[in-house]
Amino acid sequence: MNQPPFEPAAAVGTLRTWLSDADRVLITAGAGLSAAAGYDYGDEVRFQELFPALHRHGLRSRYLVGVPLPPALLWGYWAVHIDDIRFSTAPNPLYQRLRALVDGKDHWVMTSNVDGLFARSGFAPDRIFTPQGDYGRYQCGTPCAPATWDSRPLVAQLLAAYDPGTGAVTDPEALPRCPNCGGEVEINVRTGPQFVDTPYRPAGRRLQDWLSTAPAGTRLLILEFGAGFNTPGVIRWPGEHLTRRFPAARLVRVNPDRPETPADLGGRALPVPVGADRLLDVLTVPHPAPDLTAEASSGARTNSRVRGG
């Protein structure tokens, strides 16, 4: 892996030059970007605020996939979690700054995040590929058919029967069933082979067309934010593969914990060991630049929090 000493001023200058030179920009993002935007799944304080009953049960973060909760508690969690992270209509300031950064550039987004923050913050919905799913959809747990349904009415139904004191959905009739077969349902996110990817295939094909029709000499800039090793085959490794595929491509990897880049990419890859919020402050806000060196040093000393997807 390629990990030269981090020099903040030089890194920012290089990034600005690469962005100016780019013919096309592909933004790729993992959980670290949403964490930097205020949606850190590992934030225990926020978890306790939203889920006091689950906190009393000994749970400490929103990483609950696979945790064996009774249906009433599980759907109480999903209702509050999805309402908090997916159905707010307010754009997110960090994502808006990122959108402003690529304004005027031919760009696409590919993200493992399922929170809808890109679309509600000004990115074109038809240029966002979310291969891991979307909290805004739910599916049959079997599944009985390659279909998904809007989860907004489901969340509203669950919240109407939700008791914050117990963390449970108190009305069994409010617990969701498949509209097609009457069986159990789950949120439409990739947790196993039962995942229904039908809604995301068209965007995936459009992204592939955008990449495959680019001339070989296209100066593609891949801006990767917060993608670690939880699911490296979704964001991190494909970005490296694309950089190799296009001889003039460049990769910027923004990650406070795992910024390292492959040695074979040489000077076409720029590791930036700080959070997306700190970097975008420097790039998009017209005030004296904050000191990135301190955060870079802190990130090198500790990996105690998972920041990448």
Side-chain angles (χ1 to χ4, degrees):
M1 287 290 176
N2 176 35
Q3 185 61 68
F6 180 61
E7 298 179 2
V12 169
T14 297
L15 200 161
R16 289 188 187 279
T17 298
W18 286 5
L19 184 60
S20 176
D21 289 346
D23 299 313
R24 299 185 180 190
V25 178
L26 175 61
I27 296 170
T28 65
L33 180 60
S34 287
Y39 294 98
D40 184 350
Y41 282 28
D43 184 344
E44 183 179 345
V45 173
R46 180 61 173 160
F47 182 85
Q48 185 174 12
E49 291 174 356
L50 289 173
F51 311 103
L54 294 181
H55 193 270
R56 290 196 299 273
H57 282 294
L59 299 175
R60 295 294 181 263
S61 82
R62 301 199 206 197
Y63 291 105
L64 294 186
V65 173
V67 175
L69 293 177
L73 281 177
L74 177 65
W75 285 107
Y77 162 76
W78 276 124
V80 174
H81 172 60
I82 293 174
D83 186 60
D84 173 61
I85 203 169
R86 176 64 175 84
F87 290 137
S88 168
T89 58
N92 183 274
L94 181 68
Y95 278 75
Q96 286 182 304
R97 295 209 298 276
L98 179 55
R99 174 64 185 84
L101 186 67
V102 297
D103 190 38
K105 290 290 183 180
D106 182 3
H107 64 275
W108 257 86
V109 170
M110 181 172 71
T111 179
S112 60
N113 298 336
V114 295
D115 48 31
L117 281 166
F118 276 104
R120 78 172 189 240
S121 300
F123 287 86
D126 63 348
R127 284 197 161 208
I128 302 170
F129 178 39
T130 60
Q132 298 297 84
D134 185 347
Y135 283 151
R137 313 295 299 174
Y138 73 102
Q139 66 168 78
C140 177
T142 303
C144 64
T148 65
W149 298 274
D150 182 1
S151 66
R152 192 183 297 268
L154 174 62
V155 167
Q157 173 182 302
L158 290 165
L159 288 176
Y162 175 71
D163 178 8
T166 64
V169 176
T170 58
D171 180 4
E173 295 300 315
L175 296 177
R177 310 297 295 182
C178 175
N180 188 49
C181 72
E184 295 183 356
V185 302
E186 58 189 52
I187 300 303
N188 182 223
V189 296
R190 191 186 298 274
T191 58
Q194 77 280 10
F195 173 64
V196 175
D197 66 354
T198 306
Y200 317 106
R201 291 178 185 172
R205 287 192 291 267
R206 291 195 302 274
L207 173 57
Q208 186 57 47
D209 288 344
W210 183 75
L211 291 168
S212 64
T213 58
T218 296
R219 291 169 296 186
L220 175 67
L221 177 61
I222 300 170
L223 297 177
E224 179 194 289
F225 295 92
F229 285 93
N230 288 340
T231 54
V234 179
I235 299 297
R236 192 173 176 105
W237 294 341
E240 295 172 1
H241 172 72
L242 283 171
T243 308
R244 296 183 181 103
R245 173 178 157 188
F246 289 91
R250 291 159 166 169
L251 169 67
V252 177
R253 172 162 287 156
V254 183
N255 193 311
D257 300 324
R258 301 302 302 268
E260 58 270 16
T261 56
D264 68 288
L265 296 181
R268 294 195 294 126
L270 176 66
V272 182
V274 300
D277 50 343
R278 301 291 289 170
L279 179 65
L280 289 171
D281 273 348
V282 175
L283 290 169
T284 62
V285 178
H287 56 57
D291 182 7
L292 297 184
T293 308
E295 182 172 337
S297 299
S298 175
R301 288 193 301 268
T302 177
N303 286 321
S304 60
R305 298 179 69 184
V306 176
R307 297 288 297 274

